[in-house]
Amino acid sequence: MATLTDKPLLDPPLTIAGRALRSRLMVGTGKYRTNQEMVEAIEASGTEVVTVSVRRVDLDRSNEEGILHALDPEKYLLLPNTAGCYTADEAVRYARLARAAGFTDWVKLEVIGDQETLLPDVAATLAACKELVDDGFTVLAYTNDDLITALRLEDVGCAAVMPLASPIGSGLGLINPFNIRTIKARLEVPVIVDAGVGTASDAALTMEQGVDGILMNTALAEADDPVRMARAMGLATEAGRLAYLAGRMPRRERAIPSSPTIGMLE
Amino acid sequence: MATLTDKPLLDPPLTIAGRALRSRLMVGTGKYRTNQEMVEAIEASGTEVVTVSVRRVDLDRSNEEGILHALDPEKYLLLPNTAGCYTADEAVRYARLARAAGFTDWVKLEVIGDQETLLPDVAATLAACKELVDDGFTVLAYTNDDLITALRLEDVGCAAVMPLASPIGSGLGLINPFNIRTIKARLEVPVIVDAGVGTASDAALTMEQGVDGILMNTALAEADDPVRMARAMGLATEAGRLAYLAGRMPRRERAIPSSPTIGMLE
Amino acid sequence: MATLTDKPLLDPPLTIAGRALRSRLMVGTGKYRTNQEMVEAIEASGTEVVTVSVRRVDLDRSNEEGILHALDPEKYLLLPNTAGCYTADEAVRYARLARAAGFTDWVKLEVIGDQETLLPDVAATLAACKELVDDGFTVLAYTNDDLITALRLEDVGCAAVMPLASPIGSGLGLINPFNIRTIKARLEVPVIVDAGVGTASDAALTMEQGVDGILMNTALAEADDPVRMARAMGLATEAGRLAYLAGRMPRRERAIPSSPTIGMLE
Amino acid sequence: MATLTDKPLLDPPLTIAGRALRSRLMVGTGKYRTNQEMVEAIEASGTEVVTVSVRRVDLDRSNEEGILHALDPEKYLLLPNTAGCYTADEAVRYARLARAAGFTDWVKLEVIGDQETLLPDVAATLAACKELVDDGFTVLAYTNDDLITALRLEDVGCAAVMPLASPIGSGLGLINPFNIRTIKARLEVPVIVDAGVGTASDAALTMEQGVDGILMNTALAEADDPVRMARAMGLATEAGRLAYLAGRMPRRERAIPSSPTIGMLE
Amino acid sequence: MLEDITIRVNGEPREVQGGLSVDELLRSFDLQPGMIVVERNGDILRRERYPEVRIAPGDSLELVHFVGGG
Amino acid sequence: MLEDITIRVNGEPREVQGGLSVDELLRSFDLQPGMIVVERNGDILRRERYPEVRIAPGDSLELVHFVGGG
Amino acid sequence: MLEDITIRVNGEPREVQGGLSVDELLRSFDLQPGMIVVERNGDILRRERYPEVRIAPGDSLELVHFVGGG
Amino acid sequence: MLEDITIRVNGEPREVQGGLSVDELLRSFDLQPGMIVVERNGDILRRERYPEVRIAPGDSLELVHFVGGG
């Protein structure tokens, strides 16, 4: 049975801003049916990085909802996002509140440009990224699959660029492998594909483009069985990575026998 | 890091003709650069079933070439194939020679209909399958992705039907998921997709159709690094299986936020 | 505006069994909302060949239902099919009844192997084809996309081989272009893709594989506007054919300017 | 044979900035082997709008190279582009020179962000678009397939938004139909897909997304036979448009007979 | 005027007037012989023989024609 | 015992006991200060200052924490 | 007959006859003025002014036209 | 010591010592009988019979084994 114990020999760890991560998969913590299911899925995924959001406490029933009651910050890197922000200023404000929580100066920057598609506002994302980098943040920036924007994000000091595979929560998978491959080929900072991955083959196909990692949430939370899907995604992310490193066979529009053509009987 | 130690809890084993297998991946032993590389790749793949061919001994340098010098029949189920046979009679003759070797009465039946594409002759395959079943063989039959032929193979007592993903050695991947899904939905015997898988995402996508397993050879032997690719395929096969069992999220042509839309600041 | 008046200069006509046809599109006559809509759609499609079925007259209200009341046999080649037949004998019986109507000795042979998918029984199709050819019929045989079966059909004297794009009435389009391309490359008789085409781009893509023509029914009859769709299909079939003959530009994973890079201002 | 004489009844003309166009296909004039071939291809395409570039005259052999020696401005709308410009100022300068030629105040705005991929610099494109609109130009803006950028271009007064199908000169076709469909659904100004279309089925598929037109150059100029391909593209563009208007049949993963299931013989 | 006989037409038993030719039978059903193909007791009947061939008791006829199909 | 004062907390007007420190205020809401970030009149308040900073009438506070998100 | 002057045309220094109008200059290059757009020292020159505007020493001219492009 | 006889092995004519058992023949080719399947004049020979069955002039043998295949 395949075990991953000697994985480090097969694939050096992903390193972002100097921190080596034990898995190339990052997962979100939203939309699970229960905290229990979320924790088990995160465990099964093998991830080290989980994203969280900053929201007002609900003064009437606050004890339940805080994520820190469910997740151990010693065990996971809690990566705050700025989801729900529609301007650079708003995103910067949320990032600073998140940092003040005292766990990390990393932030997953999101500046949304349209409520219906949740596609990023790349101009505002660039502006917020620059301001946060100047303020000492380690910024992982959610963006679309436009190479030019990705290059600009790298220019302003982004620690990792996070282009989408398809819209947040759509499950449409990697629609444009060419753009993702091109972005990876041109950037020096890690490229983490964020949003849109729906099932295991999407994750493997995405990693086969050569990118450094994947972040997903809905694919786990909305699966009928989030724990099985989390395990599937952990395995698929690693499978796609190893297949990329292994160098696949050529595609050919003809057949080649796998068995010897000599030594046949009369 | 993802480990597979509790895999049995997540996925019951594939059982063919009463034998439970520890992996849903089967691999061929052809075309490796060296026996050493082959053995390491087979090990890394986590497979339990490896296919072999029956050929004349080379009376001048026989010691090297026999596969039994490299593979331990106690450790792996050696599944003989009838690759290279173009008639039912020829395939039956090779199957009987293979059985006489004394390891197993299983045979992977192949009757080729065209040298250029190595596509099966379904009429001859059906005839040979019937004769071998009547003779007590456990037949796993390589076929194309035609449902009607698959149903006939099941009717004559095939232990597992092995439709192709794409031509042998082509690496074109799963061209027609619809046909494979349909075959799986209609048959009761296990469906093992054989031939054409080229990389990890192909394997995951194939398993996500609900099939019971995959057999591959060229994708490993012709990868730049067969050991890494073998590991990748073992993981991807399991990932695709678990994703199928988990029940994927729906695809939707709109976005759904992963983070709460309430509790935003003013 | 594009007109097709000089089309003969661009594409020689499709010729089957010595008969040159003015269009590479053939259409069925089933499932239209009204005969009037059917006639207008057929007219708009530009086709010369329309398929019909042989059925018992309804002794209570026979005047309405006969297709000959709506279609002029002088204007269109009425091609009888054996749709609904599940054995070779049944198909041969229907073919003979159709020929006795006195319009043509052509027949579109269909022998279905499964009621749910309407996929062909290739063994029975081969048997019926042989018998009908020996009896002097010009046989156009519906089959799946298996090269070996297509070669056998050619061997027994089929006038045209009609592999499917996807199941009858599914509208799934051309699922396996590779198989269709391979069949066309290996056969000498005309290859007409039958069944599965759903919209204009499917028709163009199909013709771009080099095949000689397309037969469709549901895509027109079930469109919201069959007449517009019929025109679209006529144009798309011709567009795909011309694109195939024209020889497309290479695909490349880099950009090439369309405008001169010299002569820029300072 | 399909003729398009009554096309106006089937599809109202595309209208940009108040001008009704007789074809939804626009073509470039670059990279043809000869001017003669270019003129014949443009004629065969049925287009009314052809793009041109502004470049310095070559003082040594100027007579040959001017496009006006080959194309009649009375017969075609010459649409100047700003291809080759990498800044907003540069693009504005080229646009003004083009307008001074006295044919039109329309301009196809291109501001390139990267020499290797020729992908647009969306920030600079937006800035240039705003300045040109304020200066009285009718701006058709080449952009990527980002909805947010397309909405901003509409906001600043763009007359038509021209998202790419894939990179200029790549021939990779419509990689992301979802983005194009989304852009069309959200904008009020015409959406003309520009760049990347490689063959007829690409053109049909693109129009089937509901967009208003297509602009292409390399697919014609680099075809082995540009005239045949131009005709193919003219037909395919119209076919895709009509198929979109006709409303395609549903896709279904099961078969539906085209012929009656009643009235079979005993 | 002959008395009625019983035959099978398209799978249904029918009482028809005895001694009718196939041509007359078709017209009695308001069918145009030129558009109908007749299979009589398993054999196809050539159209020119419709006027001469007379229906006999117990005959089994299939009357078919072309309908819309794909 | 000081009388109540009115402040804004997370967008809602609230009557709270006058003179409370931010730390006391959080506990009065049954919140663990270590898990809460406080923005006071638009400025983030460093956690170590919660015990010393006292609420004044008209203060506007945002009390935020981490919740599940993607 | 005036003596030659030096100007810049499309980035290259050129000796041309002094006192020429833009129209005359274009013709001297064997160009049809109706097909050429002239940018003179950074400003676009309206075509109707080609006959009256005279070239001065040190002028920088860009002479552009339409070529094939996509 | 018997004289040599001629047989066919894997399609090639061979001179071998007369009177050899199949087992002895295989060893003479430096093959391990346990890894070889023998087809003799078209019939498969059960392995336990290798020691007793003796090669006769004109025998046609196929000696096969497992090799790498997919």
Side-chain angles (χ1 to χ4, degrees):
Chain A
M1 184 193 63
T3 70
L4 313 188
T5 46
D6 57 356
K7 165 171 169 277
L9 305 173
L10 294 177
D11 178 25
L14 162 62
T15 301
I16 299 178
R19 173 164 180 164
L21 302 169
R22 67 174 169 262
S23 167
R24 293 178 177 278
L25 176 60
M26 305 179 179
V27 307
T29 56
K31 302 195 294 185
Y32 284 89
R33 298 172 187 88
T34 67
N35 272 348
Q36 168 68 7
E37 192 174 63
M38 174 191 75
V39 170
E40 286 174 19
I42 289 171
E43 179 60 35
S45 75
T47 191
E48 179 172 354
V49 179
V50 300
T51 59
V52 295
S53 295
V54 173
R55 292 293 183 270
R56 281 171 167 174
V57 295
D58 176 341
L59 294 176
D60 311 320
R61 45 169 190 70
S62 52
N63 291 335
E64 301 82 279
E65 57 173 354
I67 196 88
L68 292 175
H69 294 277
L71 285 176
D72 174 4
E74 300 301 312
K75 192 164 168 192
Y76 298 105
L77 168 58
L78 300 185
L79 174 61
N81 67 29
T82 63
C85 296
Y86 283 77
T87 68
D89 288 350
E90 200 181 4
V92 168
R93 182 185 182 195
Y94 275 73
R96 288 181 173 144
L97 288 166
R99 180 169 59 178
F103 296 110
T104 179
D105 62 1
W106 288 27
V107 63
K108 182 195 155 196
L109 174 64
E110 285 183 44
V111 187
I112 302 304
D114 172 64
Q115 201 154 9
E116 196 174 302
T117 59
L118 301 179
L119 291 168
D121 178 328
V122 295
T125 300
L126 265 164
C129 184
K130 188 173 184 340
E131 183 168 353
L132 290 170
V133 168
D134 294 346
D135 191 13
F137 281 87
T138 293
V139 182
L140 295 75
Y142 164 69
T143 180
N144 59 26
D145 62 2
D146 174 39
L147 169 66
I148 312 304
T149 301
L151 288 166
R152 302 270 190 281
L153 285 166
E154 184 175 67
D155 292 343
V156 297
C158 214
V161 173
M162 306 184 79
L164 51 70
S166 48
I168 293 170
S170 70
L172 294 176
L174 181 58
I175 300 180
N176 193 330
F178 172 78
N179 276 2
I180 294 299
R181 209 155 53 232
T182 306
I183 288 172
K184 176 55 192 175
R186 297 286 301 278
L187 267 63
E188 293 183 0
V189 297
V191 174
I192 313 292
V193 170
D194 181 9
V197 167
T199 187
S201 54
D202 294 340
L205 179 65
T206 299
M207 292 305 294
E208 285 165 358
Q209 308 312 310
V211 298
D212 302 281
I214 306 178
L215 169 56
M216 62 183 67
N217 185 337
T218 309
L220 305 191
E222 279 195 10
D224 297 337
D225 179 344
V227 176
R228 266 200 180 80
M229 185 57 85
R231 172 63 51 87
M233 289 297 195
L235 296 170
T237 300
E238 190 170 339
R241 176 62 179 178
L242 291 175
Y244 168 74
L245 294 174
R248 63 157 292 156
M249 65 175 287
R251 282 184 187 78
R252 44 175 84 95
E253 290 222 343
R254 61 206 166 73
I256 305 278
S258 301
S259 305
T261 51
I262 60 161
M264 300 296 287
L265 307 183
E266 267 163 352
Chain B
M1 182 192 67
T3 71
L4 312 187
T5 46
D6 56 357
K7 165 172 170 276
L9 305 175
L10 295 177
D11 178 25
L14 163 61
T15 301
I16 298 177
R19 173 164 180 164
L21 301 170
R22 66 175 170 261
S23 167
R24 293 178 177 277
L25 177 62
M26 305 178 180
V27 306
T29 57
K31 302 193 293 185
Y32 283 88
R33 298 171 187 89
T34 66
N35 273 348
Q36 168 69 7
E37 192 174 64
M38 173 191 75
V39 170
E40 287 175 18
I42 289 170
E43 178 62 35
S45 75
T47 191
E48 179 174 353
V49 179
V50 299
T51 59
V52 295
S53 296
V54 173
R55 291 293 183 268
R56 282 172 166 172
V57 293
D58 176 341
L59 293 175
D60 310 322
R61 44 169 192 68
S62 52
N63 292 336
E64 303 82 280
E65 57 175 352
I67 197 88
L68 292 174
H69 294 278
L71 285 177
D72 175 2
E74 300 300 312
K75 192 164 169 193
Y76 298 105
L77 168 58
L78 300 185
L79 175 62
N81 66 31
T82 63
C85 296
Y86 283 78
T87 66
D89 289 348
E90 201 182 2
V92 169
R93 181 184 183 194
Y94 276 73
R96 288 181 174 144
L97 287 166
R99 181 170 58 177
F103 297 111
T104 179
D105 61 3
W106 288 26
V107 63
K108 182 197 156 195
L109 174 64
E110 286 183 44
V111 187
I112 302 304
D114 173 64
Q115 201 155 11
E116 194 174 303
T117 58
L118 300 180
L119 291 168
D121 179 328
V122 294
T125 300
L126 264 165
C129 185
K130 188 169 183 345
E131 184 169 353
L132 290 170
V133 169
D134 294 345
D135 191 14
F137 281 88
T138 294
V139 182
L140 294 75
Y142 163 68
T143 181
N144 59 25
D145 62 2
D146 174 40
L147 168 67
I148 311 304
T149 302
L151 288 166
R152 300 274 189 280
L153 285 167
E154 185 175 66
D155 292 342
V156 297
C158 216
V161 171
M162 306 184 78
L164 51 70
S166 48
I168 293 169
S170 69
L172 294 177
L174 180 59
I175 299 179
N176 193 331
F178 171 78
N179 277 1
I180 295 299
R181 210 154 53 232
T182 306
I183 287 172
K184 175 56 192 172
R186 295 287 299 277
L187 267 63
E188 292 184 0
V189 297
V191 174
I192 313 291
V193 170
D194 180 10
V197 166
T199 188
S201 54
D202 295 339
L205 179 65
T206 299
M207 293 304 296
E208 285 164 358
Q209 308 312 309
V211 298
D212 302 281
I214 305 177
L215 169 55
M216 62 182 69
N217 185 338
T218 309
L220 305 191
E222 279 195 8
D224 297 338
D225 179 344
V227 176
R228 265 201 181 80
M229 185 57 84
R231 172 62 52 86
M233 289 298 195
L235 297 171
T237 301
E238 189 169 340
R241 176 65 179 176
L242 291 176
Y244 168 74
L245 294 173
R248 62 157 293 156
M249 66 175 288
R251 282 185 187 78
R252 43 175 85 95
E253 289 222 343
R254 62 206 165 73
I256 305 279
S258 301
S259 305
T261 51
I262 59 158
M264 301 296 288
L265 308 183
E266 267 164 354
Chain C
M1 185 190 66
T3 70
L4 312 188
T5 46
D6 58 356
K7 165 174 170 272
L9 305 175
L10 294 177
D11 178 24
L14 162 62
T15 301
I16 299 178
R19 174 164 180 165
L21 302 170
R22 66 175 171 262
S23 168
R24 292 178 177 278
L25 176 61
M26 304 178 180
V27 306
T29 57
K31 302 195 293 184
Y32 284 89
R33 297 171 187 88
T34 66
N35 273 348
Q36 167 69 7
E37 192 174 63
M38 173 192 75
V39 170
E40 286 175 19
I42 289 170
E43 179 61 35
S45 75
T47 192
E48 179 175 353
V49 179
V50 300
T51 59
V52 295
S53 295
V54 173
R55 293 291 183 268
R56 282 172 166 172
V57 294
D58 176 341
L59 293 176
D60 311 321
R61 43 170 191 67
S62 52
N63 292 337
E64 302 83 281
E65 57 175 351
I67 197 91
L68 292 174
H69 294 278
L71 285 177
D72 175 3
E74 299 300 312
K75 192 165 168 193
Y76 299 105
L77 168 58
L78 301 185
L79 175 61
N81 67 29
T82 63
C85 296
Y86 283 77
T87 67
D89 289 348
E90 200 182 3
V92 169
R93 181 183 182 195
Y94 275 73
R96 288 180 174 144
L97 287 166
R99 181 169 60 178
F103 297 111
T104 180
D105 61 2
W106 288 27
V107 63
K108 182 196 156 195
L109 174 64
E110 287 184 42
V111 187
I112 303 303
D114 173 63
Q115 202 155 9
E116 195 174 304
T117 58
L118 300 179
L119 291 168
D121 178 327
V122 293
T125 300
L126 265 165
C129 185
K130 187 169 182 345
E131 184 169 353
L132 290 170
V133 169
D134 294 345
D135 191 15
F137 281 88
T138 294
V139 182
L140 294 76
Y142 163 70
T143 180
N144 59 26
D145 63 1
D146 173 39
L147 169 67
I148 311 303
T149 302
L151 289 167
R152 300 271 189 281
L153 285 167
E154 184 175 67
D155 291 342
V156 298
C158 215
V161 172
M162 307 184 77
L164 51 69
S166 49
I168 294 170
S170 70
L172 294 177
L174 180 60
I175 299 179
N176 193 330
F178 171 79
N179 276 0
I180 295 299
R181 210 154 53 233
T182 305
I183 288 172
K184 175 55 193 175
R186 296 287 299 278
L187 267 63
E188 292 183 359
V189 297
V191 174
I192 313 291
V193 170
D194 180 10
V197 166
T199 187
S201 54
D202 295 339
L205 179 65
T206 300
M207 293 304 296
E208 285 164 359
Q209 309 311 310
V211 298
D212 301 281
I214 306 177
L215 169 55
M216 61 182 69
N217 185 339
T218 309
L220 305 191
E222 278 195 8
D224 297 337
D225 179 344
V227 177
R228 266 201 181 82
M229 186 56 85
R231 172 61 50 88
M233 289 297 195
L235 297 170
T237 301
E238 189 169 341
R241 176 64 179 177
L242 292 176
Y244 168 74
L245 295 174
R248 63 158 292 157
M249 67 175 287
R251 283 184 186 78
R252 44 175 84 94
E253 290 221 343
R254 61 206 167 73
I256 305 279
S258 301
S259 305
T261 51
I262 60 158
M264 300 295 289
L265 308 183
E266 267 165 350
Chain D
M1 184 192 64
T3 70
L4 313 187
T5 46
D6 58 354
K7 167 173 166 268
L9 305 174
L10 294 177
D11 178 25
L14 162 61
T15 300
I16 299 177
R19 173 163 180 165
L21 302 170
R22 68 175 168 259
S23 166
R24 293 178 176 278
L25 176 60
M26 305 178 180
V27 306
T29 56
K31 302 195 293 185
Y32 283 90
R33 298 171 186 89
T34 67
N35 272 349
Q36 169 68 8
E37 193 174 63
M38 172 191 75
V39 170
E40 286 174 18
I42 289 170
E43 179 61 36
S45 76
T47 190
E48 179 173 353
V49 179
V50 300
T51 58
V52 295
S53 295
V54 173
R55 293 293 184 268
R56 282 172 168 172
V57 295
D58 176 341
L59 292 176
D60 310 320
R61 43 168 192 70
S62 51
N63 292 337
E64 301 83 277
E65 55 173 356
I67 196 89
L68 292 174
H69 294 280
L71 284 176
D72 174 4
E74 300 301 312
K75 192 164 167 192
Y76 298 106
L77 169 57
L78 301 185
L79 174 60
N81 67 30
T82 62
C85 296
Y86 283 77
T87 66
D89 289 350
E90 201 181 3
V92 169
R93 181 184 181 195
Y94 275 71
R96 288 182 173 141
L97 287 167
R99 181 170 60 178
F103 296 110
T104 179
D105 62 1
W106 288 27
V107 63
K108 182 194 155 197
L109 174 65
E110 285 184 44
V111 188
I112 303 304
D114 172 63
Q115 201 154 11
E116 194 174 303
T117 58
L118 301 179
L119 292 168
D121 179 327
V122 294
T125 301
L126 264 165
C129 184
K130 188 173 184 341
E131 183 168 354
L132 290 170
V133 168
D134 295 346
D135 191 14
F137 282 87
T138 293
V139 182
L140 294 76
Y142 164 69
T143 181
N144 59 25
D145 62 2
D146 173 39
L147 168 67
I148 311 304
T149 302
L151 289 167
R152 301 270 189 281
L153 285 166
E154 184 174 67
D155 292 342
V156 297
C158 215
V161 172
M162 305 184 79
L164 51 69
S166 48
I168 293 170
S170 70
L172 294 177
L174 181 59
I175 300 180
N176 193 331
F178 172 78
N179 276 0
I180 295 299
R181 210 156 51 234
T182 306
I183 288 171
K184 175 56 192 174
R186 298 287 300 277
L187 267 64
E188 292 182 0
V189 297
V191 174
I192 314 291
V193 169
D194 181 8
V197 167
T199 187
S201 55
D202 294 340
L205 178 65
T206 299
M207 293 304 295
E208 285 164 359
Q209 308 312 310
V211 297
D212 301 281
I214 305 177
L215 170 55
M216 62 182 67
N217 184 339
T218 308
L220 305 191
E222 278 195 9
D224 297 336
D225 179 344
V227 177
R228 266 201 180 80
M229 186 57 86
R231 172 62 52 87
M233 289 297 195
L235 296 171
T237 301
E238 189 169 339
R241 176 63 179 177
L242 291 176
Y244 168 74
L245 294 173
R248 63 157 292 157
M249 65 175 287
R251 281 185 188 79
R252 45 175 83 95
E253 289 222 344
R254 62 205 165 75
I256 304 279
S258 300
S259 305
T261 50
I262 59 160
M264 300 297 287
L265 307 182
E266 265 163 354
Chain E
M1 166 76 191
L2 296 164
E3 59 195 20
D4 283 2
I5 60 175
T6 302
I7 62 173
R8 240 179 131 63
V9 182
N10 289 355
E12 303 292 328
R14 293 252 175 189
E15 295 292 307
V16 300
Q17 184 190 333
L20 284 182
S21 70
V22 168
D23 189 80
E24 291 162 337
L25 179 77
L26 293 176
R27 297 188 191 285
S28 74
F29 284 128
D30 195 17
L31 299 172
Q32 303 172 35
M35 289 192 174
I36 307 297
V37 174
V38 178
E39 189 190 70
R40 176 162 166 269
N41 303 328
D43 296 323
I44 293 171
L45 198 62
R46 292 214 318 289
R47 190 167 287 142
E48 54 272 36
R49 303 194 54 230
Y50 291 1
E52 79 204 34
V53 173
R54 310 219 156 269
I55 306 302
D59 275 354
S60 176
L61 303 179
E62 291 284 355
L63 312 184
V64 303
H65 64 164
F66 287 154
V67 299
Chain F
M1 165 76 186
L2 295 166
E3 60 195 21
D4 283 0
I5 60 174
T6 302
I7 61 173
R8 245 179 126 63
V9 183
N10 290 356
E12 304 293 328
R14 293 253 174 186
E15 294 293 307
V16 300
Q17 185 189 334
L20 285 182
S21 72
V22 168
D23 189 81
E24 291 163 337
L25 179 76
L26 293 175
R27 298 186 188 285
S28 76
F29 286 127
D30 194 18
L31 299 172
Q32 303 172 36
M35 290 192 173
I36 306 299
V37 174
V38 179
E39 186 189 72
R40 175 163 167 271
N41 303 328
D43 296 323
I44 294 171
L45 199 60
R46 291 215 318 289
R47 190 166 286 142
E48 55 269 36
R49 302 196 53 232
Y50 291 1
E52 79 205 37
V53 173
R54 308 215 160 268
I55 306 303
D59 275 353
S60 176
L61 303 180
E62 291 286 354
L63 313 184
V64 302
H65 64 166
F66 287 154
V67 300
Chain G
M1 166 77 189
L2 297 164
E3 59 195 20
D4 283 2
I5 60 175
T6 302
I7 62 174
R8 241 178 130 62
V9 183
N10 288 356
E12 304 293 328
R14 293 254 173 184
E15 295 291 307
V16 302
Q17 184 190 332
L20 284 183
S21 71
V22 168
D23 189 81
E24 291 163 337
L25 179 77
L26 293 176
R27 298 185 189 286
S28 76
F29 284 126
D30 194 17
L31 298 172
Q32 303 172 36
M35 290 193 173
I36 306 299
V37 174
V38 179
E39 188 189 72
R40 175 161 167 272
N41 302 327
D43 297 323
I44 294 171
L45 199 60
R46 290 214 319 288
R47 190 167 286 143
E48 55 270 34
R49 302 196 53 230
Y50 290 0
E52 80 204 34
V53 173
R54 307 217 158 269
I55 307 304
D59 275 354
S60 176
L61 303 180
E62 291 284 355
L63 312 184
V64 304
H65 64 164
F66 286 154
V67 299
Chain H
M1 165 74 188
L2 296 166
E3 60 195 19
D4 282 2
I5 59 174
T6 302
I7 60 173
R8 236 178 135 62
V9 182
N10 289 356
E12 304 291 329
R14 293 252 174 189
E15 295 292 308
V16 300
Q17 184 189 333
L20 285 183
S21 71
V22 169
D23 189 82
E24 289 162 338
L25 179 77
L26 294 175
R27 297 187 190 285
S28 74
F29 285 127
D30 196 16
L31 299 171
Q32 303 172 34
M35 290 192 174
I36 307 298
V37 175
V38 179
E39 188 190 71
R40 175 161 168 271
N41 303 329
D43 296 323
I44 294 172
L45 199 62
R46 293 214 318 288
R47 191 167 285 142
E48 53 272 36
R49 302 195 53 229
Y50 290 2
E52 81 206 33
V53 173
R54 308 220 158 267
I55 306 302
D59 275 354
S60 176
L61 304 180
E62 292 284 354
L63 313 184
V64 304
H65 63 166
F66 287 154
V67 300

